[in-house]
Amino acid sequence: MLIFMLAAAMTLAMLIATAFGVHQEAQKVRFDDRKDRISRFGPRD
């Protein structure tokens, strides 16, 4: 029973970590895309 509970806890922790990582990667991609769009208009001097 203890091993089952530890396995369930580790599975849940890995799912949360994966969701967090995917969210972080999506934010990075959105930021890079936004940065590329702004830089297309040339420098703001």
Side-chain angles (χ1 to χ4, degrees):
M1 183 68 178
L2 179 65
I3 292 174
F4 176 75
M5 293 301 291
L6 288 173
M10 285 298 295
T11 301
L12 186 61
M14 290 300 292
L15 287 173
I16 291 170
T18 301
F20 183 74
V22 168
H23 176 70
Q24 291 291 323
E25 186 66 25
Q27 277 187 329
K28 181 178 178 247
V29 168
R30 268 188 238 122
F31 177 75
D32 289 343
D33 185 47
R34 195 172 297 144
K35 189 175 67 173
D36 289 343
R37 280 189 200 161
I38 291 171
S39 67
R40 282 187 213 148
F41 293 109
R44 292 183 170 187
D45 290 335

